[in-house]
Amino acid sequence: MGRSSKDKRDIYYRLAKEEGWRARSAYKLLQLNDDFNLFNGVNRVVDLCAAPGSWSQVLSRKLIEERPNSKDMVKIVAVDLQAMAPLPGVIQIQGDITKISTAHQIIGHFEGEVADLVICDGAPDVTGLHDIDEYIQAQLLLAALNITTHVLKRGGTFVAKIFRGKDVDLLYAQLKVFFLSVTICKPRSSRNSSIESFVVCQNYSPPSGYMPSMLNPLLSNPSQFKSLEGANRVIIPFMACGDLSAYDSDQTYPLAAEQKQYKSLLPTQEPINPPYKTACLLKKNNSLASSENSGKKCNMSHSTNST
Ligand code: SAM
């Protein structure tokens, strides 16, 4: 979370900084928890696609800080492609959740034990091409589900971000194969303008004889879904999470009365290796091409074939 003019407008973005969360996403998990009691009796959790780490922060606070007596029983494993600054009690893995090697690393950390909860807030870098974004998001969810079938205990819970696009029924049907209850939720802090929602899948109960396998990704043949009819096509309940007392994420709010003038807050956790790092360095050294001479600089770099 860097500084931007959005800071002034987005209430959850601002609150996250004030309350020390690394990202506004923290409120999505907190609001899901308000409705589903996700952390009740939970000690072992996998947080997939965890960077910059606000969901892991929620886990660390709820499972460790607020329950110091059960601290030794808690295991939180967080995974992301990106490096993440450390958090108390959180084991970190840097890797791609669609890769078998990452799945093995996660499973390895559980040493034969199983997780009570798997959460996944995974999102691709959106391209703006909806079909492609939805497809990649669905692949991430399936990768997360595949890992989940290796580590989740029977009766456990899986929570994941989902894009409610036109082929989403296919994913719902697949999730219903593994969980007795599947609910789609839209937390108040998730922008109305965003296609994202969250599936809360409860009571893990794989079909008898199901053998988890990383070599055979789930649902690799979407055409199979078209043949499903009647009761085999599933209607999933939809739920708006959080009551009207929560802030509306798409509304603009005035500053609190005591804050006469807007004061920008620093990010809770600076990104470790952001994609814009090189540009910042260039700017610091005054080496960025200005709009007037960018064409000139660009031509120069072409002609000299140097950076
Ligand atoms: N839940 C996080 C939090 O609260 O701070 C925010 C997650 S962010 C919306 C989505 C994350 O998904 C990004 O950090 C991105 O690196 C990660 N991601 C996307 N594809 C991934 C993949 N194939 N494997 C692991 N992480 C992935």
Side-chain angles (χ1 to χ4, degrees), residues 22-23 25-26 47 49-56 79-82 95-98 121-124 140 161:
R22 292 181 179 182
S25 328
D47 181 5
C49 303
S54 78
W55 280 26
S56 287
V79 188
D80 201 284
L81 283 174
Q82 309 292 336
D96 181 342
I97 65 160
T98 64
D121 190 23
L140 265 187
K161 192 203 293 281

mmCIF file with all atom_site columns, all heavy atoms in Angstrom, residues 22-23 25-26 47 49-56 79-82 95-98 121-124 140 161, ligand 1:
data_model
loop_
_atom_site.group_PDB
_atom_site.id
_atom_site.type_symbol
_atom_site.label_atom_id
_atom_site.label_alt_id
_atom_site.label_comp_id
_atom_site.label_asym_id
_atom_site.label_entity_id
_atom_site.label_seq_id
_atom_site.pdbx_PDB_ins_code
_atom_site.Cartn_x
_atom_site.Cartn_y
_atom_site.Cartn_z
_atom_site.occupancy
_atom_site.B_iso_or_equiv
_atom_site.pdbx_formal_charge
_atom_site.auth_seq_id
_atom_site.auth_comp_id
_atom_site.auth_asym_id
_atom_site.auth_atom_id
_atom_site.pdbx_PDB_model_num
ATOM   1   N N   . ARG A 1 22  ? -1.597  -4.344  6.669   1.00 0.00 ? 22  ARG A N   1
ATOM   2   C CA  . ARG A 1 22  ? -0.762  -4.123  5.490   1.00 0.00 ? 22  ARG A CA  1
ATOM   3   C C   . ARG A 1 22  ? -1.571  -3.857  4.223   1.00 0.00 ? 22  ARG A C   1
ATOM   4   O O   . ARG A 1 22  ? -1.032  -3.357  3.233   1.00 0.00 ? 22  ARG A O   1
ATOM   5   C CB  . ARG A 1 22  ? 0.121   -5.358  5.239   1.00 0.00 ? 22  ARG A CB  1
ATOM   6   C CG  . ARG A 1 22  ? 1.160   -5.535  6.312   1.00 0.00 ? 22  ARG A CG  1
ATOM   7   C CD  . ARG A 1 22  ? 2.017   -6.741  6.009   1.00 0.00 ? 22  ARG A CD  1
ATOM   8   N NE  . ARG A 1 22  ? 3.027   -6.892  7.028   1.00 0.00 ? 22  ARG A NE  1
ATOM   9   C CZ  . ARG A 1 22  ? 3.946   -7.840  7.017   1.00 0.00 ? 22  ARG A CZ  1
ATOM   10  N NH1 . ARG A 1 22  ? 3.957   -8.721  6.027   1.00 0.00 ? 22  ARG A NH1 1
ATOM   11  N NH2 . ARG A 1 22  ? 4.835   -7.907  7.970   1.00 0.00 ? 22  ARG A NH2 1
ATOM   12  N N   . ALA A 1 23  ? -2.808  -4.278  4.218   1.00 0.00 ? 23  ALA A N   1
ATOM   13  C CA  . ALA A 1 23  ? -3.664  -4.041  3.042   1.00 0.00 ? 23  ALA A CA  1
ATOM   14  C C   . ALA A 1 23  ? -5.113  -3.939  3.503   1.00 0.00 ? 23  ALA A C   1
ATOM   15  O O   . ALA A 1 23  ? -5.474  -4.486  4.548   1.00 0.00 ? 23  ALA A O   1
ATOM   16  C CB  . ALA A 1 23  ? -3.508  -5.181  2.032   1.00 0.00 ? 23  ALA A CB  1
ATOM   17  N N   . SER A 1 25  ? -7.455  -5.472  2.344   1.00 0.00 ? 25  SER A N   1
ATOM   18  C CA  . SER A 1 25  ? -8.065  -6.810  2.261   1.00 0.00 ? 25  SER A CA  1
ATOM   19  C C   . SER A 1 25  ? -8.333  -7.409  3.635   1.00 0.00 ? 25  SER A C   1
ATOM   20  O O   . SER A 1 25  ? -9.180  -8.281  3.774   1.00 0.00 ? 25  SER A O   1
ATOM   21  C CB  . SER A 1 25  ? -7.166  -7.798  1.523   1.00 0.00 ? 25  SER A CB  1
ATOM   22  O OG  . SER A 1 25  ? -6.402  -7.206  0.550   1.00 0.00 ? 25  SER A OG  1
ATOM   23  N N   . ALA A 1 26  ? -7.590  -6.952  4.649   1.00 0.00 ? 26  ALA A N   1
ATOM   24  C CA  . ALA A 1 26  ? -7.776  -7.496  5.997   1.00 0.00 ? 26  ALA A CA  1
ATOM   25  C C   . ALA A 1 26  ? -9.254  -7.451  6.395   1.00 0.00 ? 26  ALA A C   1
ATOM   26  O O   . ALA A 1 26  ? -9.777  -8.394  6.987   1.00 0.00 ? 26  ALA A O   1
ATOM   27  C CB  . ALA A 1 26  ? -6.954  -6.698  7.007   1.00 0.00 ? 26  ALA A CB  1
ATOM   28  N N   . ASP A 1 47  ? -2.364  -19.968 4.282   1.00 0.00 ? 47  ASP A N   1
ATOM   29  C CA  . ASP A 1 47  ? -2.790  -18.717 3.645   1.00 0.00 ? 47  ASP A CA  1
ATOM   30  C C   . ASP A 1 47  ? -2.124  -18.671 2.268   1.00 0.00 ? 47  ASP A C   1
ATOM   31  O O   . ASP A 1 47  ? -0.929  -18.396 2.157   1.00 0.00 ? 47  ASP A O   1
ATOM   32  C CB  . ASP A 1 47  ? -2.360  -17.526 4.528   1.00 0.00 ? 47  ASP A CB  1
ATOM   33  C CG  . ASP A 1 47  ? -2.793  -16.184 3.936   1.00 0.00 ? 47  ASP A CG  1
ATOM   34  O OD1 . ASP A 1 47  ? -3.496  -16.175 2.911   1.00 0.00 ? 47  ASP A OD1 1
ATOM   35  O OD2 . ASP A 1 47  ? -2.410  -15.143 4.521   1.00 0.00 ? 47  ASP A OD2 1
ATOM   36  N N   . CYS A 1 49  ? -1.439  -17.264 -1.518  1.00 0.00 ? 49  CYS A N   1
ATOM   37  C CA  . CYS A 1 49  ? -1.398  -15.948 -2.176  1.00 0.00 ? 49  CYS A CA  1
ATOM   38  C C   . CYS A 1 49  ? -1.513  -14.853 -1.125  1.00 0.00 ? 49  CYS A C   1
ATOM   39  O O   . CYS A 1 49  ? -2.446  -14.046 -1.130  1.00 0.00 ? 49  CYS A O   1
ATOM   40  C CB  . CYS A 1 49  ? -2.500  -15.847 -3.219  1.00 0.00 ? 49  CYS A CB  1
ATOM   41  S SG  . CYS A 1 49  ? -2.407  -17.135 -4.461  1.00 0.00 ? 49  CYS A SG  1
ATOM   42  N N   . ALA A 1 50  ? -0.553  -14.830 -0.224  1.00 0.00 ? 50  ALA A N   1
ATOM   43  C CA  . ALA A 1 50  ? -0.689  -14.093 1.029   1.00 0.00 ? 50  ALA A CA  1
ATOM   44  C C   . ALA A 1 50  ? -0.115  -12.680 1.028   1.00 0.00 ? 50  ALA A C   1
ATOM   45  O O   . ALA A 1 50  ? -0.434  -11.895 1.918   1.00 0.00 ? 50  ALA A O   1
ATOM   46  C CB  . ALA A 1 50  ? -0.013  -14.901 2.135   1.00 0.00 ? 50  ALA A CB  1
ATOM   47  N N   . ALA A 1 51  ? 0.769   -12.350 0.085   1.00 0.00 ? 51  ALA A N   1
ATOM   48  C CA  . ALA A 1 51  ? 1.456   -11.047 0.144   1.00 0.00 ? 51  ALA A CA  1
ATOM   49  C C   . ALA A 1 51  ? 0.500   -9.904  -0.188  1.00 0.00 ? 51  ALA A C   1
ATOM   50  O O   . ALA A 1 51  ? -0.412  -10.099 -0.997  1.00 0.00 ? 51  ALA A O   1
ATOM   51  C CB  . ALA A 1 51  ? 2.628   -11.040 -0.842  1.00 0.00 ? 51  ALA A CB  1
ATOM   52  N N   . PRO A 1 52  ? 0.647   -8.745  0.412   1.00 0.00 ? 52  PRO A N   1
ATOM   53  C CA  . PRO A 1 52  ? 1.701   -8.350  1.357   1.00 0.00 ? 52  PRO A CA  1
ATOM   54  C C   . PRO A 1 52  ? 1.487   -8.859  2.784   1.00 0.00 ? 52  PRO A C   1
ATOM   55  O O   . PRO A 1 52  ? 2.332   -8.668  3.629   1.00 0.00 ? 52  PRO A O   1
ATOM   56  C CB  . PRO A 1 52  ? 1.627   -6.819  1.320   1.00 0.00 ? 52  PRO A CB  1
ATOM   57  C CG  . PRO A 1 52  ? 0.184   -6.524  0.996   1.00 0.00 ? 52  PRO A CG  1
ATOM   58  C CD  . PRO A 1 52  ? -0.249  -7.620  0.067   1.00 0.00 ? 52  PRO A CD  1
ATOM   59  N N   . GLY A 1 53  ? 0.356   -9.514  3.048   1.00 0.00 ? 53  GLY A N   1
ATOM   60  C CA  . GLY A 1 53  ? 0.276   -10.221 4.327   1.00 0.00 ? 53  GLY A CA  1
ATOM   61  C C   . GLY A 1 53  ? -0.820  -9.788  5.281   1.00 0.00 ? 53  GLY A C   1
ATOM   62  O O   . GLY A 1 53  ? -0.784  -10.151 6.454   1.00 0.00 ? 53  GLY A O   1
ATOM   63  N N   . SER A 1 54  ? -1.838  -9.049  4.796   1.00 0.00 ? 54  SER A N   1
ATOM   64  C CA  . SER A 1 54  ? -2.845  -8.594  5.772   1.00 0.00 ? 54  SER A CA  1
ATOM   65  C C   . SER A 1 54  ? -3.711  -9.753  6.268   1.00 0.00 ? 54  SER A C   1
ATOM   66  O O   . SER A 1 54  ? -4.125  -9.760  7.420   1.00 0.00 ? 54  SER A O   1
ATOM   67  C CB  . SER A 1 54  ? -3.707  -7.460  5.206   1.00 0.00 ? 54  SER A CB  1
ATOM   68  O OG  . SER A 1 54  ? -4.677  -7.938  4.329   1.00 0.00 ? 54  SER A OG  1
ATOM   69  N N   . TRP A 1 55  ? -3.962  -10.763 5.420   1.00 0.00 ? 55  TRP A N   1
ATOM   70  C CA  . TRP A 1 55  ? -4.748  -11.917 5.903   1.00 0.00 ? 55  TRP A CA  1
ATOM   71  C C   . TRP A 1 55  ? -3.907  -12.698 6.924   1.00 0.00 ? 55  TRP A C   1
ATOM   72  O O   . TRP A 1 55  ? -4.423  -13.168 7.932   1.00 0.00 ? 55  TRP A O   1
ATOM   73  C CB  . TRP A 1 55  ? -5.178  -12.813 4.742   1.00 0.00 ? 55  TRP A CB  1
ATOM   74  C CG  . TRP A 1 55  ? -6.384  -12.301 4.002   1.00 0.00 ? 55  TRP A CG  1
ATOM   75  C CD1 . TRP A 1 55  ? -6.792  -10.998 3.919   1.00 0.00 ? 55  TRP A CD1 1
ATOM   76  C CD2 . TRP A 1 55  ? -7.356  -13.070 3.270   1.00 0.00 ? 55  TRP A CD2 1
ATOM   77  N NE1 . TRP A 1 55  ? -7.943  -10.918 3.171   1.00 0.00 ? 55  TRP A NE1 1
ATOM   78  C CE2 . TRP A 1 55  ? -8.312  -12.159 2.753   1.00 0.00 ? 55  TRP A CE2 1
ATOM   79  C CE3 . TRP A 1 55  ? -7.502  -14.419 2.973   1.00 0.00 ? 55  TRP A CE3 1
ATOM   80  C CZ2 . TRP A 1 55  ? -9.404  -12.578 1.979   1.00 0.00 ? 55  TRP A CZ2 1
ATOM   81  C CZ3 . TRP A 1 55  ? -8.581  -14.835 2.199   1.00 0.00 ? 55  TRP A CZ3 1
ATOM   82  C CH2 . TRP A 1 55  ? -9.517  -13.923 1.712   1.00 0.00 ? 55  TRP A CH2 1
ATOM   83  N N   . SER A 1 56  ? -2.607  -12.816 6.662   1.00 0.00 ? 56  SER A N   1
ATOM   84  C CA  . SER A 1 56  ? -1.739  -13.502 7.637   1.00 0.00 ? 56  SER A CA  1
ATOM   85  C C   . SER A 1 56  ? -1.687  -12.719 8.942   1.00 0.00 ? 56  SER A C   1
ATOM   86  O O   . SER A 1 56  ? -1.617  -13.292 10.028  1.00 0.00 ? 56  SER A O   1
ATOM   87  C CB  . SER A 1 56  ? -0.324  -13.660 7.083   1.00 0.00 ? 56  SER A CB  1
ATOM   88  O OG  . SER A 1 56  ? -0.291  -14.641 6.079   1.00 0.00 ? 56  SER A OG  1
ATOM   89  N N   . VAL A 1 79  ? 1.928   -18.453 1.724   1.00 0.00 ? 79  VAL A N   1
ATOM   90  C CA  . VAL A 1 79  ? 2.629   -18.670 0.444   1.00 0.00 ? 79  VAL A CA  1
ATOM   91  C C   . VAL A 1 79  ? 2.316   -17.538 -0.528  1.00 0.00 ? 79  VAL A C   1
ATOM   92  O O   . VAL A 1 79  ? 1.166   -17.112 -0.628  1.00 0.00 ? 79  VAL A O   1
ATOM   93  C CB  . VAL A 1 79  ? 2.124   -19.981 -0.218  1.00 0.00 ? 79  VAL A CB  1
ATOM   94  C CG1 . VAL A 1 79  ? 2.958   -20.337 -1.431  1.00 0.00 ? 79  VAL A CG1 1
ATOM   95  C CG2 . VAL A 1 79  ? 2.079   -21.119 0.768   1.00 0.00 ? 79  VAL A CG2 1
ATOM   96  N N   . ASP A 1 80  ? 3.327   -17.088 -1.230  1.00 0.00 ? 80  ASP A N   1
ATOM   97  C CA  . ASP A 1 80  ? 3.071   -16.124 -2.312  1.00 0.00 ? 80  ASP A CA  1
ATOM   98  C C   . ASP A 1 80  ? 4.237   -16.143 -3.298  1.00 0.00 ? 80  ASP A C   1
ATOM   99  O O   . ASP A 1 80  ? 5.351   -16.536 -2.958  1.00 0.00 ? 80  ASP A O   1
ATOM   100 C CB  . ASP A 1 80  ? 2.885   -14.693 -1.768  1.00 0.00 ? 80  ASP A CB  1
ATOM   101 C CG  . ASP A 1 80  ? 2.119   -13.804 -2.762  1.00 0.00 ? 80  ASP A CG  1
ATOM   102 O OD1 . ASP A 1 80  ? 2.711   -13.368 -3.774  1.00 0.00 ? 80  ASP A OD1 1
ATOM   103 O OD2 . ASP A 1 80  ? 0.922   -13.569 -2.524  1.00 0.00 ? 80  ASP A OD2 1
ATOM   104 N N   . LEU A 1 81  ? 3.948   -15.693 -4.506  1.00 0.00 ? 81  LEU A N   1
ATOM   105 C CA  . LEU A 1 81  ? 5.003   -15.519 -5.508  1.00 0.00 ? 81  LEU A CA  1
ATOM   106 C C   . LEU A 1 81  ? 5.983   -14.453 -5.034  1.00 0.00 ? 81  LEU A C   1
ATOM   107 O O   . LEU A 1 81  ? 7.186   -14.524 -5.290  1.00 0.00 ? 81  LEU A O   1
ATOM   108 C CB  . LEU A 1 81  ? 4.385   -14.999 -6.813  1.00 0.00 ? 81  LEU A CB  1
ATOM   109 C CG  . LEU A 1 81  ? 3.636   -15.954 -7.723  1.00 0.00 ? 81  LEU A CG  1
ATOM   110 C CD1 . LEU A 1 81  ? 2.991   -15.166 -8.855  1.00 0.00 ? 81  LEU A CD1 1
ATOM   111 C CD2 . LEU A 1 81  ? 4.593   -16.986 -8.286  1.00 0.00 ? 81  LEU A CD2 1
ATOM   112 N N   . GLN A 1 82  ? 5.437   -13.439 -4.351  1.00 0.00 ? 82  GLN A N   1
ATOM   113 C CA  . GLN A 1 82  ? 6.237   -12.289 -3.912  1.00 0.00 ? 82  GLN A CA  1
ATOM   114 C C   . GLN A 1 82  ? 6.803   -12.523 -2.520  1.00 0.00 ? 82  GLN A C   1
ATOM   115 O O   . GLN A 1 82  ? 6.182   -13.217 -1.707  1.00 0.00 ? 82  GLN A O   1
ATOM   116 C CB  . GLN A 1 82  ? 5.361   -11.032 -3.830  1.00 0.00 ? 82  GLN A CB  1
ATOM   117 C CG  . GLN A 1 82  ? 4.550   -10.722 -5.053  1.00 0.00 ? 82  GLN A CG  1
ATOM   118 C CD  . GLN A 1 82  ? 5.415   -10.307 -6.223  1.00 0.00 ? 82  GLN A CD  1
ATOM   119 O OE1 . GLN A 1 82  ? 6.546   -9.831  -6.036  1.00 0.00 ? 82  GLN A OE1 1
ATOM   120 N NE2 . GLN A 1 82  ? 4.912   -10.512 -7.425  1.00 0.00 ? 82  GLN A NE2 1
ATOM   121 N N   . GLY A 1 95  ? 6.656   -18.959 -3.480  1.00 0.00 ? 95  GLY A N   1
ATOM   122 C CA  . GLY A 1 95  ? 6.494   -19.906 -4.578  1.00 0.00 ? 95  GLY A CA  1
ATOM   123 C C   . GLY A 1 95  ? 5.173   -19.719 -5.293  1.00 0.00 ? 95  GLY A C   1
ATOM   124 O O   . GLY A 1 95  ? 4.310   -18.951 -4.877  1.00 0.00 ? 95  GLY A O   1
ATOM   125 N N   . ASP A 1 96  ? 5.043   -20.484 -6.379  1.00 0.00 ? 96  ASP A N   1
ATOM   126 C CA  . ASP A 1 96  ? 3.863   -20.412 -7.241  1.00 0.00 ? 96  ASP A CA  1
ATOM   127 C C   . ASP A 1 96  ? 2.913   -21.542 -6.840  1.00 0.00 ? 96  ASP A C   1
ATOM   128 O O   . ASP A 1 96  ? 3.299   -22.716 -6.870  1.00 0.00 ? 96  ASP A O   1
ATOM   129 C CB  . ASP A 1 96  ? 4.365   -20.593 -8.688  1.00 0.00 ? 96  ASP A CB  1
ATOM   130 C CG  . ASP A 1 96  ? 3.243   -20.507 -9.709  1.00 0.00 ? 96  ASP A CG  1
ATOM   131 O OD1 . ASP A 1 96  ? 2.069   -20.640 -9.323  1.00 0.00 ? 96  ASP A OD1 1
ATOM   132 O OD2 . ASP A 1 96  ? 3.571   -20.312 -10.891 1.00 0.00 ? 96  ASP A OD2 1
ATOM   133 N N   . ILE A 1 97  ? 1.675   -21.201 -6.474  1.00 0.00 ? 97  ILE A N   1
ATOM   134 C CA  . ILE A 1 97  ? 0.783   -22.256 -5.972  1.00 0.00 ? 97  ILE A CA  1
ATOM   135 C C   . ILE A 1 97  ? 0.321   -23.213 -7.074  1.00 0.00 ? 97  ILE A C   1
ATOM   136 O O   . ILE A 1 97  ? -0.287  -24.235 -6.790  1.00 0.00 ? 97  ILE A O   1
ATOM   137 C CB  . ILE A 1 97  ? -0.449  -21.697 -5.217  1.00 0.00 ? 97  ILE A CB  1
ATOM   138 C CG1 . ILE A 1 97  ? -1.373  -20.886 -6.136  1.00 0.00 ? 97  ILE A CG1 1
ATOM   139 C CG2 . ILE A 1 97  ? -0.054  -20.901 -4.000  1.00 0.00 ? 97  ILE A CG2 1
ATOM   140 C CD1 . ILE A 1 97  ? -2.790  -20.754 -5.572  1.00 0.00 ? 97  ILE A CD1 1
ATOM   141 N N   . THR A 1 98  ? 0.585   -22.866 -8.331  1.00 0.00 ? 98  THR A N   1
ATOM   142 C CA  . THR A 1 98  ? 0.212   -23.800 -9.393  1.00 0.00 ? 98  THR A CA  1
ATOM   143 C C   . THR A 1 98  ? 1.322   -24.833 -9.644  1.00 0.00 ? 98  THR A C   1
ATOM   144 O O   . THR A 1 98  ? 1.178   -25.710 -10.483 1.00 0.00 ? 98  THR A O   1
ATOM   145 C CB  . THR A 1 98  ? -0.095  -23.053 -10.716 1.00 0.00 ? 98  THR A CB  1
ATOM   146 O OG1 . THR A 1 98  ? 1.109   -22.413 -11.159 1.00 0.00 ? 98  THR A OG1 1
ATOM   147 C CG2 . THR A 1 98  ? -1.175  -22.008 -10.537 1.00 0.00 ? 98  THR A CG2 1
ATOM   148 N N   . ASP A 1 121 ? -6.552  -15.683 -1.243  1.00 0.00 ? 121 ASP A N   1
ATOM   149 C CA  . ASP A 1 121 ? -7.008  -14.386 -1.778  1.00 0.00 ? 121 ASP A CA  1
ATOM   150 C C   . ASP A 1 121 ? -6.313  -14.125 -3.117  1.00 0.00 ? 121 ASP A C   1
ATOM   151 O O   . ASP A 1 121 ? -6.093  -12.992 -3.509  1.00 0.00 ? 121 ASP A O   1
ATOM   152 C CB  . ASP A 1 121 ? -6.649  -13.299 -0.741  1.00 0.00 ? 121 ASP A CB  1
ATOM   153 C CG  . ASP A 1 121 ? -7.281  -11.953 -1.048  1.00 0.00 ? 121 ASP A CG  1
ATOM   154 O OD1 . ASP A 1 121 ? -8.296  -11.927 -1.754  1.00 0.00 ? 121 ASP A OD1 1
ATOM   155 O OD2 . ASP A 1 121 ? -6.751  -10.935 -0.569  1.00 0.00 ? 121 ASP A OD2 1
ATOM   156 N N   . GLY A 1 122 ? -5.939  -15.203 -3.791  1.00 0.00 ? 122 GLY A N   1
ATOM   157 C CA  . GLY A 1 122 ? -5.127  -15.106 -5.006  1.00 0.00 ? 122 GLY A CA  1
ATOM   158 C C   . GLY A 1 122 ? -5.803  -14.331 -6.115  1.00 0.00 ? 122 GLY A C   1
ATOM   159 O O   . GLY A 1 122 ? -6.993  -14.484 -6.375  1.00 0.00 ? 122 GLY A O   1
ATOM   160 N N   . ALA A 1 123 ? -5.019  -13.472 -6.737  1.00 0.00 ? 123 ALA A N   1
ATOM   161 C CA  . ALA A 1 123 ? -5.526  -12.724 -7.882  1.00 0.00 ? 123 ALA A CA  1
ATOM   162 C C   . ALA A 1 123 ? -4.383  -12.565 -8.867  1.00 0.00 ? 123 ALA A C   1
ATOM   163 O O   . ALA A 1 123 ? -3.255  -12.276 -8.468  1.00 0.00 ? 123 ALA A O   1
ATOM   164 C CB  . ALA A 1 123 ? -6.022  -11.363 -7.429  1.00 0.00 ? 123 ALA A CB  1
ATOM   165 N N   . PRO A 1 124 ? -4.675  -12.751 -10.159 1.00 0.00 ? 124 PRO A N   1
ATOM   166 C CA  . PRO A 1 124 ? -3.621  -12.518 -11.148 1.00 0.00 ? 124 PRO A CA  1
ATOM   167 C C   . PRO A 1 124 ? -3.462  -11.018 -11.362 1.00 0.00 ? 124 PRO A C   1
ATOM   168 O O   . PRO A 1 124 ? -4.305  -10.233 -10.926 1.00 0.00 ? 124 PRO A O   1
ATOM   169 C CB  . PRO A 1 124 ? -4.196  -13.185 -12.399 1.00 0.00 ? 124 PRO A CB  1
ATOM   170 C CG  . PRO A 1 124 ? -5.688  -13.107 -12.219 1.00 0.00 ? 124 PRO A CG  1
ATOM   171 C CD  . PRO A 1 124 ? -5.958  -13.122 -10.741 1.00 0.00 ? 124 PRO A CD  1
ATOM   172 N N   . LEU A 1 140 ? -6.227  -20.232 -10.662 1.00 0.00 ? 140 LEU A N   1
ATOM   173 C CA  . LEU A 1 140 ? -5.626  -20.045 -9.330  1.00 0.00 ? 140 LEU A CA  1
ATOM   174 C C   . LEU A 1 140 ? -6.493  -20.722 -8.279  1.00 0.00 ? 140 LEU A C   1
ATOM   175 O O   . LEU A 1 140 ? -5.988  -21.400 -7.376  1.00 0.00 ? 140 LEU A O   1
ATOM   176 C CB  . LEU A 1 140 ? -5.555  -18.548 -8.994  1.00 0.00 ? 140 LEU A CB  1
ATOM   177 C CG  . LEU A 1 140 ? -4.279  -17.801 -9.289  1.00 0.00 ? 140 LEU A CG  1
ATOM   178 C CD1 . LEU A 1 140 ? -4.367  -16.393 -8.728  1.00 0.00 ? 140 LEU A CD1 1
ATOM   179 C CD2 . LEU A 1 140 ? -3.077  -18.514 -8.690  1.00 0.00 ? 140 LEU A CD2 1
ATOM   180 N N   . LYS A 1 161 ? -11.049 -16.340 -2.947  1.00 0.00 ? 161 LYS A N   1
ATOM   181 C CA  . LYS A 1 161 ? -11.564 -15.290 -3.834  1.00 0.00 ? 161 LYS A CA  1
ATOM   182 C C   . LYS A 1 161 ? -12.041 -15.939 -5.128  1.00 0.00 ? 161 LYS A C   1
ATOM   183 O O   . LYS A 1 161 ? -11.409 -16.872 -5.636  1.00 0.00 ? 161 LYS A O   1
ATOM   184 C CB  . LYS A 1 161 ? -10.442 -14.292 -4.133  1.00 0.00 ? 161 LYS A CB  1
ATOM   185 C CG  . LYS A 1 161 ? -10.945 -13.022 -4.800  1.00 0.00 ? 161 LYS A CG  1
ATOM   186 C CD  . LYS A 1 161 ? -9.869  -12.306 -5.577  1.00 0.00 ? 161 LYS A CD  1
ATOM   187 C CE  . LYS A 1 161 ? -8.752  -11.703 -4.782  1.00 0.00 ? 161 LYS A CE  1
ATOM   188 N NZ  . LYS A 1 161 ? -9.074  -10.433 -4.153  1.00 0.00 ? 161 LYS A NZ  1
HETATM 189 N N1  . SAM B 2 .   ? -4.434  -11.601 0.968   1.00 0.00 ? 1   SAM B N1  1
HETATM 190 C C1  . SAM B 2 .   ? -3.353  -10.692 0.696   1.00 0.00 ? 1   SAM B C1  1
HETATM 191 C C2  . SAM B 2 .   ? -3.279  -9.708  1.829   1.00 0.00 ? 1   SAM B C2  1
HETATM 192 O O1  . SAM B 2 .   ? -4.218  -9.654  2.600   1.00 0.00 ? 1   SAM B O1  1
HETATM 193 O O2  . SAM B 2 .   ? -2.279  -9.013  1.951   1.00 0.00 ? 1   SAM B O2  1
HETATM 194 C C3  . SAM B 2 .   ? -3.532  -9.990  -0.627  1.00 0.00 ? 1   SAM B C3  1
HETATM 195 C C4  . SAM B 2 .   ? -3.363  -10.922 -1.787  1.00 0.00 ? 1   SAM B C4  1
HETATM 196 S S1  . SAM B 2 .   ? -3.211  -10.074 -3.309  1.00 0.00 ? 1   SAM B S1  1
HETATM 197 C C5  . SAM B 2 .   ? -4.830  -9.551  -3.612  1.00 0.00 ? 1   SAM B C5  1
HETATM 198 C C6  . SAM B 2 .   ? -3.025  -11.370 -4.462  1.00 0.00 ? 1   SAM B C6  1
HETATM 199 C C7  . SAM B 2 .   ? -1.716  -12.098 -4.353  1.00 0.00 ? 1   SAM B C7  1
HETATM 200 O O3  . SAM B 2 .   ? -1.799  -13.260 -5.175  1.00 0.00 ? 1   SAM B O3  1
HETATM 201 C C8  . SAM B 2 .   ? -0.509  -11.320 -4.859  1.00 0.00 ? 1   SAM B C8  1
HETATM 202 O O4  . SAM B 2 .   ? 0.385   -11.081 -3.809  1.00 0.00 ? 1   SAM B O4  1
HETATM 203 C C9  . SAM B 2 .   ? 0.123   -12.256 -5.899  1.00 0.00 ? 1   SAM B C9  1
HETATM 204 O O5  . SAM B 2 .   ? 1.530   -12.291 -5.851  1.00 0.00 ? 1   SAM B O5  1
HETATM 205 C C10 . SAM B 2 .   ? -0.462  -13.596 -5.495  1.00 0.00 ? 1   SAM B C10 1
HETATM 206 N N2  . SAM B 2 .   ? -0.426  -14.605 -6.556  1.00 0.00 ? 1   SAM B N2  1
HETATM 207 C C11 . SAM B 2 .   ? -0.934  -14.506 -7.803  1.00 0.00 ? 1   SAM B C11 1
HETATM 208 N N3  . SAM B 2 .   ? -0.678  -15.641 -8.490  1.00 0.00 ? 1   SAM B N3  1
HETATM 209 C C12 . SAM B 2 .   ? -0.001  -16.473 -7.649  1.00 0.00 ? 1   SAM B C12 1
HETATM 210 C C13 . SAM B 2 .   ? 0.531   -17.785 -7.785  1.00 0.00 ? 1   SAM B C13 1
HETATM 211 N N4  . SAM B 2 .   ? 0.421   -18.473 -8.937  1.00 0.00 ? 1   SAM B N4  1
HETATM 212 N N5  . SAM B 2 .   ? 1.165   -18.341 -6.730  1.00 0.00 ? 1   SAM B N5  1
HETATM 213 C C14 . SAM B 2 .   ? 1.303   -17.642 -5.568  1.00 0.00 ? 1   SAM B C14 1
HETATM 214 N N6  . SAM B 2 .   ? 0.814   -16.399 -5.381  1.00 0.00 ? 1   SAM B N6  1
HETATM 215 C C15 . SAM B 2 .   ? 0.163   -15.815 -6.412  1.00 0.00 ? 1   SAM B C15 1
#
